[in-house]
């Protein structure tokens, strides 16, 4: 295996193995393209259940109706990233507090071509 291939494989596995953070790669519409073990641990979804879904699935119905997921993507486009602390929904319907960071990914011409979304579950003493 070439050194570049080895590095790419190691990088991919590094992200896949992280469990304390849900790390998702999304396209420009918020469709989930990749998943890591943290998504399963924090949100309850296996890769085959969540890849291809829109990330708005993690938001409360009220937040979806008010357009919060799209607003966060728009903020990331405008400012490079968007941070938010709020209630999120697990696969089983239970609700948890999460801290998220959405970062815009740019091509060589500085066009937004996708997003990374990092989510960490917050404990009661971390919520302000």
């Amino acid at each position: 295996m070439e050194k570049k291939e080895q590095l790419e494989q190691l990088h991919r596995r590094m992200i896949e193995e992280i469990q304390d953070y849900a790390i998702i790669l999304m396209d420009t519409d918020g469709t989930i393209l990749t998943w890591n073990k943290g998504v399963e641990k924090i949100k309850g979804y296996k890769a085959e259940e969540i890849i291809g879904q829109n990330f708005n699935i993690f938001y409360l119905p009220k937040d979806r109706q008010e357009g919060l997921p799209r607003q966060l993507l728009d903020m990331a486009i405008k400012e490079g990233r968007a941070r938010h602390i709020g209630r999120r929904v697990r696969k089983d319907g239970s609700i948890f507090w999460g801290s998220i960071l959405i970062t815009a990914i740019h091509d060589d011409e500085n066009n937004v071509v996708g997003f990374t979304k990092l989510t960490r579950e917050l404990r009661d003493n971390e919520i302000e």
Side-chain angles (χ1 to χ4, degrees):
M1 186 182 305
E2 235 180 86
K3 191 164 186 110
K4 182 180 176 185
E5 288 175 28
Q6 221 173 8
L7 182 59
E8 288 172 357
Q9 185 180 60
L10 188 60
H11 183 261
R12 181 178 47 81
R13 288 187 177 170
M14 172 189 70
I15 292 169
E16 287 174 357
E17 295 292 326
I18 293 172
Q19 294 184 35
D20 294 334
Y21 294 85
I23 303 172
I24 295 170
L25 174 65
M26 302 182 295
D27 69 11
T28 55
D29 294 323
T31 300
I32 298 166
L33 304 174
T34 66
W35 158 104
N36 77 330
K37 289 183 179 180
V39 179
E40 186 171 349
K41 182 179 177 190
I42 295 170
K43 300 181 182 200
Y45 291 92
K46 295 191 179 300
E48 60 272 10
E49 297 173 311
I50 201 61
I51 292 175
Q53 299 284 329
N54 191 281
F55 85 112
N56 66 14
I57 196 170
F58 304 132
Y59 291 79
L60 296 172
K62 177 180 180 281
D63 291 336
R64 288 196 304 263
Q65 289 168 354
E66 294 174 358
L68 179 60
R70 184 70 240 176
Q71 291 168 21
L72 292 170
L73 293 183
D74 291 343
M75 183 186 301
I77 290 169
K78 183 180 175 189
E79 300 177 17
R81 64 184 180 181
R83 295 179 187 271
H84 187 262
I85 293 176
R87 297 183 308 155
R88 302 292 185 263
V89 181
R90 289 189 176 89
K91 178 184 170 189
D92 66 7
S94 62
I95 295 172
F96 70 98
W97 281 92
S99 172
I100 65 106
L101 172 65
I102 297 174
T103 304
I105 301 170
H106 299 86
D107 65 12
D108 292 338
E109 286 78 45
N110 207 30
N111 299 306
V112 173
V113 294
F115 301 94
T116 59
K117 181 172 182 283
L118 184 68
T119 302
R120 182 172 66 92
E121 184 173 1
L122 298 177
R123 295 184 208 84
D124 289 341
N125 64 345
E126 296 177 295
I127 302 163
E128 294 180 6

